[in-house]
Amino acid sequence: MSPAFHSIRWRLQAFHAVALTLLLAAFSVATWRLERTQQLRRLDADLQRKAQETLHTLGPQRRPPGGGFGAAARNDPVAYYFVLFDANGRVLRTSDRTPGDIPPPEHAPDPERGLVPVRQRGDLREAWISTPRGDRVVVGCSTAAHTAALRRLALVLAGGSTAVLLAGWFLGWWIIGRALRPIRAIGATAAGIARGDLSQRIPESESAGELGQLTAVLNATFARLDEAFAQQRRFTANAAHELRTPVTVLLTQAQSTLTRARTAEEYQEAMDLVVRTSQRMRRLIESLLELARLDAGQEPLRRARIDLAMIAAECVELLRPLADVTNVKIRTELPETFCEADPDRIAQVVTNLVANAIHYNRPAAGAPGDPDGAGGGEVRVRLSREEGFAVLAVADTGIGISAGDLPHVFERFFRADKARSRSADRTGLGLAIVQSIVEAHGGTVAVESREGHGSTFTIRLPG
Amino acid sequence: MRLLLVEDEPDLLASLARALREEGYAVDTAGDGEEGFYKATNWSYDAIVLDVTMPKLDGWTVLAKLRRTHRTPVLMLTARDRTSDRVRGLDTGADDYLVKPFDLPELLARLRAVIRRGAGRQASPRIELGGVAIDTAARTVTRGGAPVALTAREYALVEFLAMKRGEVVTRTTLYEHLFDENDETLSNLLDVHVSNVRKKLGADFIATRRGHGYVIEDPR
């Protein structure tokens, strides 16, 4: 267990223990004091009543009262005694078993006023009433038993509290342990992931409520991490794989050419192939590096106020020779459309889209694959604005993309499974780069296509 | 020997086909798995060089389907080099497995080995037939120790019959295994080659069985 975990548990436990202790202590004290107050009140009420009775009974005759006073033991809680003092403090009458040395009380207020004073002398509690003549009757009893009862109560409260405290501590410890168990699970899983095993997940069954939410969020994060690494591994593997093929072509061609003496023409052809293949590898490598840079966010985009129309027009001009080769016409509709973007990167996007449109278009008139001899496809490049976005659409009249391939078209190295796809010029990364750049600008790219009729790629850039 | 080369990368297909033809093989080509499977099951080849990653039908599928009915030796070519892929290739029925990019001489040597094993009886690349010795690795023939100059076609004819020595091989079979889809089939071309070989290696080196075909007798 890590020290951090330890301290949470201990802190919770300590807080819980202190709180419980304080509460129980407060409760016990309050209860005890309440009981004592009640007791005294009862006792005082009794004494006062007795004092009243005694006064009335003694009356002018000073005769001894009835019940309650008698030969009961001194420590009997209901053994009362009385003493009658005259105005000068001389003892006139006492009951049996009166403890000695009872001092005369101070002058008491008028009984009609309702207040009967009480005093506590050690073990004895006494109340007194005076007559108008100045006589005073003191009635008292022993509080020893009451004190003992209170002590017993205190012990019971203390004992009970301690028991509850102990039970509470253990229960608390157990509950906190259980509640914090998911954190242990999380810690263990995170440690596993830090070691490199990205497939681990926190078991969901361990937690519910707030920890359950945390678990779900963490698991989702781990899954994304896992997927990100897997994607990177796939990308790297794919990249290496893609390079194997052109290298094989180079090696086979070169080794084969060297097996015997060749004519100058044959050497020429062989070298042409070498150049073509090397160029292909170069394009592939550049595309890969571009994607890697975009992925890593290493080269922040330049934000400049650019006119998409100008950029699009330049790209189209650069690609016109390519279009001419296959008799593809490029039509443009380029009104001035400003937005905030990186001009070089956007140029790349437009170039990739238009080059694709040219390449995957209908073949030239008379070429194989031109069924109606009409030949010469068309590429339309159109700019527009839509509610805060600059919109660029590149449409072609080409072979289109099947519904099955459509969702994958932006995946890296994806090539639609068609007879013409295995051409030496395609890296399979053009659209992946387009998507990467457009999304880095906060925009979106979408495609619509009908197999055999053509495709339209639409990008939306904010601003 | 007639080979089928199945590879979807056009430049590689062309280079490899040329290299193999220069080695004296008759080479048919296929640019995808479907075409490859079709040809493999419709003609008889001495060996097939099969790429793994192809559109329409990939190499694994072609191999698995082929193995249901044919025992043609297959050498798989692939850009996938994980051990699990090699194991899979060999377990699916490939006779050998080469990773791209490969060394061309190695490919040629493995191909020869695969063909030799497919023919069944060869342990060693050398075939001794009386005074004539054929080195299938070096693709040379000697008679009484002296090297004999043969054209590529003539050597192919000698090698084929020598590997099937003792068996009568029909003219049809010889056509099928010495010429590929790109050759014009003139029915007397074979006779010309047989006649030339007889001139160089002895009149009874290749015996004719009228109405059946040709045979090189097994001296043992």
Side-chain angles (χ1 to χ4, degrees):
Chain A
M1 275 187 237
S2 68
F5 171 73
H6 230 220
S7 88
I8 287 183
R9 191 175 190 181
W10 280 110
R11 274 192 281 146
L12 269 179
Q13 184 60 27
F15 174 76
H16 167 254
V18 165
L20 195 59
T21 307
L22 286 176
L23 281 172
L24 279 173
F27 172 73
S28 299
V29 165
T31 304
W32 185 84
R33 288 179 68 135
L34 192 66
E35 180 58 25
R36 190 178 70 153
T37 310
Q38 298 280 52
Q39 230 181 35
L40 283 179
R41 208 171 281 159
R42 271 198 307 273
L43 191 53
D44 288 351
D46 254 353
L47 285 174
Q48 285 158 12
R49 204 170 24 86
K50 279 280 191 272
Q52 303 270 36
E53 280 174 21
T54 311
L55 188 66
H56 288 129
T57 318
L58 280 179
Q61 288 87 10
R62 298 169 177 162
R63 270 208 307 275
F69 299 92
R74 180 187 168 140
N75 286 334
D76 186 341
V78 298
Y80 295 91
Y81 58 87
F82 77 89
V83 179
L84 178 63
F85 293 97
D86 70 6
N88 298 321
R90 252 184 334 129
V91 177
L92 296 175
R93 303 283 305 266
T94 73
S95 65
D96 299 333
R97 315 254 177 191
T98 302
D101 295 342
I102 300 183
E106 304 293 306
H107 181 74
D110 210 330
E112 267 118 39
R113 291 259 297 277
L115 280 171
V116 177
V118 169
R119 70 182 178 196
Q120 179 87 27
R121 292 187 313 115
D123 254 14
L124 305 170
R125 195 165 180 83
E126 295 161 350
W128 67 95
I129 293 187
S130 35
T131 66
R133 275 208 317 249
D135 295 336
R136 278 154 283 171
V137 173
V138 173
V139 172
C141 76
S142 161
T143 54
H146 293 97
T147 311
L150 277 179
R151 200 171 302 129
R152 269 201 307 279
L153 177 64
L155 280 174
V156 165
L157 282 174
S161 294
T162 308
V164 169
L165 211 52
L166 285 173
W169 287 349
F170 280 120
L171 200 63
W173 179 260
W174 183 69
I175 289 183
I176 290 174
R178 283 210 54 178
L180 290 180
R181 194 162 59 194
I183 295 197
R184 267 206 298 276
I186 291 176
T189 309
I193 291 190
R195 268 196 305 273
D197 180 6
L198 286 170
S199 62
Q200 288 199 23
R201 299 285 178 270
I202 304 160
E204 300 264 331
S205 58
E206 286 279 340
S207 45
E210 291 86 346
L211 275 178
Q213 269 176 359
L214 176 65
T215 302
V217 165
L218 282 175
N219 275 346
T221 306
F222 296 151
R224 274 208 308 282
L225 255 181
D226 201 2
E227 178 54 33
F229 274 108
Q231 202 176 51
Q232 204 175 55
R233 276 196 302 271
R234 275 199 301 268
F235 185 55
T236 313
N238 277 341
H241 175 94
E242 291 292 318
L243 284 171
R244 279 185 198 270
T245 307
V247 169
T248 310
V249 172
L250 284 178
L251 192 56
T252 305
Q253 179 72 351
Q255 284 185 314
S256 158
T257 302
L258 290 173
T259 53
R260 61 185 72 176
R262 305 275 176 192
T263 66
E265 239 173 47
E266 284 171 327
Y267 282 127
Q268 179 96 23
E269 257 180 50
M271 290 317 285
D272 281 339
L273 179 58
V274 166
V275 167
R276 255 200 339 267
T277 309
S278 303
Q279 294 282 38
R280 179 175 153 194
M281 286 174 70
R282 185 180 62 83
R283 278 194 299 271
L284 180 63
I285 290 169
E286 281 181 13
S287 295
L288 285 172
L289 285 176
E290 176 72 15
L291 270 177
R293 275 196 292 265
L294 284 168
D295 277 353
Q298 257 164 26
E299 295 195 359
L301 303 173
R302 269 173 50 212
R303 295 271 177 177
R305 191 149 174 72
I306 58 172
D307 181 8
L308 285 177
M310 268 180 54
I311 296 197
E314 273 170 31
C315 296
V316 164
E317 276 321 299
L318 281 172
L319 289 170
R320 231 176 251 289
L322 185 63
D324 289 341
V325 164
T326 45
N327 209 6
V328 167
K329 292 196 230 338
I330 308 185
R331 294 198 205 291
T332 62
E333 230 178 271
L334 303 174
E336 211 178 57
T337 313
F338 282 94
C339 75
E340 294 264 321
D342 184 324
D344 292 329
R345 293 267 161 71
I346 296 298
Q348 205 171 357
V349 164
V350 177
T351 304
N352 282 6
L353 289 177
V354 175
N356 271 1
I358 295 173
H359 184 262
Y360 288 108
N361 223 315
R362 276 211 295 271
D370 179 32
D372 33 4
E378 200 180 79
V379 172
R380 269 196 356 264
V381 182
R382 208 163 63 85
L383 274 175
S384 58
R385 280 208 85 86
E386 267 177 38
E387 27 171 281
F389 284 93
V391 180
L392 172 74
V394 176
D396 66 66
T397 54
I399 54 183
I401 304 167
S402 73
D405 290 337
L406 210 51
H408 302 290
V409 124
F410 293 102
E411 278 171 24
R412 301 173 180 194
F413 299 119
F414 181 80
R415 291 186 191 69
D417 201 297
K418 293 241 186 312
R420 268 213 298 190
S421 61
R422 219 55 180 96
S423 156
D425 287 338
R426 318 312 298 162
T427 57
L429 291 176
L431 285 177
I433 290 179
V434 163
Q435 186 182 50
S436 222
I437 292 177
V438 167
E439 285 181 358
H441 281 87
T444 58
V445 58
V447 59
E448 283 162 9
S449 181
R450 266 200 329 161
E451 214 169 343
H453 286 87
S455 319
T456 307
F457 285 82
T458 314
I459 65 169
R460 284 185 168 71
L461 292 169
Chain B
M1 298 291 161
R2 188 171 180 187
L3 304 178
L4 174 62
L5 178 56
V6 187
E7 163 65 56
D8 67 322
E9 174 64 44
D11 285 334
L12 187 56
L13 185 63
S15 278
L16 208 43
R18 186 190 76 168
L20 290 171
R21 285 192 185 115
E22 287 182 356
E23 281 293 304
Y25 294 105
V27 180
D28 286 3
T29 59
D32 62 67
E34 235 172 57
E35 193 189 350
F37 180 69
Y38 174 75
K39 288 190 178 176
T41 46
N42 276 288
W43 284 282
S44 132
Y45 295 101
D46 295 292
I48 301 179
V49 177
L50 180 61
D51 182 31
V52 165
T53 41
M54 290 186 294
K56 291 195 190 157
L57 225 55
D58 69 28
W60 307 122
T61 318
V62 171
L63 182 59
K65 286 171 69 157
L66 181 71
R67 279 286 175 257
R68 287 188 213 144
T69 47
H70 288 69
R71 290 185 322 165
T72 325
V74 170
L75 184 139
M76 285 194 103
L77 281 183
T78 184
R80 299 163 68 113
D81 75 335
R82 295 194 9 238
T83 310
S84 52
D85 295 318
R86 293 171 184 262
V87 168
R88 182 180 177 190
L90 294 169
D91 279 348
T92 315
D95 295 88
D96 206 348
Y97 195 95
L98 251 194
V99 176
K100 294 180 191 169
F102 48 79
D103 193 36
L104 188 57
E106 186 181 355
L107 173 71
L108 297 173
R110 285 182 183 267
L111 200 48
R112 284 192 295 271
V114 146
I115 292 174
R116 217 165 51 226
R117 282 199 298 266
R121 328 141 72 167
Q122 274 339 98
S124 115
R126 280 180 68 85
I127 308 178
E128 309 266 354
L129 298 161
V132 176
I134 304 167
D135 184 341
T136 59
R139 305 183 83 78
T140 56
V141 175
T142 57
R143 187 183 182 193
V148 176
L150 293 174
T151 68
R153 276 284 151 74
E154 289 163 6
Y155 174 81
L157 172 64
V158 167
E159 185 189 63
F160 192 77
L161 285 175
M163 282 199 155
K164 296 200 180 315
R165 57 190 175 283
E167 281 172 45
V168 177
V169 180
T170 65
R171 297 168 60 87
T172 319
T173 309
L174 280 173
Y175 271 117
E176 281 186 357
H177 284 262
L178 296 181
F179 301 106
D180 60 45
E181 60 203 351
N182 299 321
D183 293 319
E184 311 246 340
T185 42
L186 301 173
S187 65
N188 69 337
L189 204 53
L190 190 58
D191 302 312
V192 169
H193 288 314
V194 170
S195 155
N196 285 338
V197 166
R198 282 176 171 153
K199 283 187 202 131
K200 297 179 184 180
L201 294 178
D204 37 340
F205 185 64
I206 299 179
T208 306
R209 296 271 185 277
R210 286 224 167 270
H212 293 284
Y214 296 103
V215 62
I216 287 183
E217 303 289 355
D218 193 339
R220 277 165 296 139

